[in-house]
Amino acid sequence: MPSRIVAFNLNGRDVEVMVKPLTTLQTVLREHLHLTATKSGCRQGGCGTCTVLVNGEPMLSCLLPVEDIAGQKVVTLEGITPIEGLHPIQQAFFDNYAIQCGYCSPGVIMVIKALLDRNPNPTRQEIMDAIAGNVCRCTGYEPILRAAEDAARRLQSA
Amino acid sequence: MSEVASEVIREMKREFKVVGKSVPRRDGIGHVTGKTVYVDDISFPGMLHLKMVRSPIHHGIIRNVDFSEAEKVPGFVRVLTHRDVPKNIYTILCLIGVGPDEEPVLAVDRVLYKGEPIAAIVAETEEAAMEAVSRVKLDLEELPAVFDVEEALKPDAPILKPWGTNYFIYEGHHCRRVRFGDVEKGFAQADYIIEEVYNTSPIEHAPTETTACVAKPEPDGRYTVYTNTQALFFTMDNTALILQVPFSKLHFVGGTVGGGFGGKVDVITEPIATLAAMKTGRPVKFKYTREEEMRVSSTRSAWRMYFKDGVMKDGRIIARKVISYADSGAYNRHTPYAVTKHAANIAGPYTIPNVYIDAYCVYTNRQPASAMRGFGVTPASFAVECQMDKIAETIGMDPWEIRFINAYRNGDMRPHQKVVEDATLIEVMKAAAELVGHKLPEHLLKMHSWDREKA
């Protein structure tokens, strides 16, 4: 099947990409647009490292054909990173050592962003439920939970 | 801990800039912003992709490999077989004197495990490489396979190694041996004989970032290899040996690893990707899929450990005999070394006057095992501590007490002929008891590692 143009909004900017049908959003981000903060751990929806926000909802970009998000709003980790300094969630992850090898961090941060956008004061259980699809093989889940709680406090006092 | 000791430590902490303090992570900003560059984030114009043709069977003879349909796939660039690899048969621990070489980079005429690489296909895109791999026709003759360490040592087992045994040979011996005191005499004196067998399973590290590298030809004739290996120079040296090039031809760039846990210390992607870069003159990426990571990357080895302990009524272990088998899978990787570490540690952190250990490194038709977090020692610790609990239960003694009584002290001789220095087991157990809120009796609290109380 021939390639076709798909247009969507990425990190506040309109983009157009020329893709074959069923090309995933992950491939478009990483290989066409060279935005590599979105990771590639399994390409089968199992690890959560490729999580991005589509219209504010966390989605696995490795399972998402890019034509399905035509005309919609996509936000990646690059999209929430300020030019200088860090987003409060990033700062909380950094300050609470909620990072080890760093490979799951982009996906986890995007999930926490989506959670705090709709629930500014989540319980620990709600945070655990939110990150249930994100695998941290360094097993640093406790610091991640602390960072998410800290991020909620920072955003509320901001 | 005494008041004085606590005060000394408090004072020391005040002096240190880093020890005892939380310092910001050097790589932390990169990690939380996604700006850290992992190997798979690297790409170059004109970069090719490499995928492996792998054995679909556990053990067999390669009769023929037909690439004719694969070559027709649009984007196919070339195939690499064992004939292209300058020193195809290697063993990674040759760098520390382990031999002989026994693992092929690409299979020659036989495969020993399901997923063993037979040929590498290089193509313009990852999809084309995968498509071409799927069109390779393999003509294999399946042979009986063996998956159990003790089955592999039986006389009728299929022999997997060219030297005619299914075990690694340690300086002429069939296993790594430790002999200390007279274990049979110990058993004869013992009030109790306590036997058990312990098994551990293979474990996959499953790092979130799969094993990968990119090899890039440089204008000066060198090759830059970006890799997520956990052992950069070790991998560079092995790559140079396999490709028969001077070390100065290779420039390895690494250090950023998206989870390793020991699973990325084998030299797996770099030699073949660098060879592909040499043969094509273009950058080549070789990244495991998740399926490859789970199916063919090394695991922690499975172990079977037979314990026989002679124990006195007062709790002293006076004899320990252990026969251990490590399942190395089809090839050495790091298991011969794991078995040596295991043999040195399977008596545990306890002082036992009579010890007899036979630890075997056994080959089977499983995927090769290798390093993982204390490999060799971790299964030993699991077995030893289960055994300590079993001893305590059998003789009716508190499990803390049995460990304090037998704990090694400074100056004790370990079974592999090392004098114990800087022992801390008793202090660690006291601290652990405090942390879990367990009140230890006075006579145990009086013990310490730097000498032995009079009986």
Side-chain angles (χ1 to χ4, degrees), chain B residues 419-440:
Chain B
V419 176
V420 174
E421 295 171 50
D422 302 325
T424 52
L425 177 59
I426 288 172
E427 289 68 29
V428 167
M429 289 194 292
K430 284 184 200 171
E434 205 174 312
L435 284 170
V436 299
H438 180 81
K439 207 168 153 41
L440 289 170

Side-chain angles (χ1 to χ4, degrees), chain B residues 53 62-68 118-119 136-140:
Chain B
V53 177
I62 303 171
R63 281 199 292 238
N64 189 43
V65 186
D66 176 2
F67 297 103
S68 56
I118 294 172
V136 173
K137 288 198 197 85
L138 295 172
D139 181 9
L140 307 176

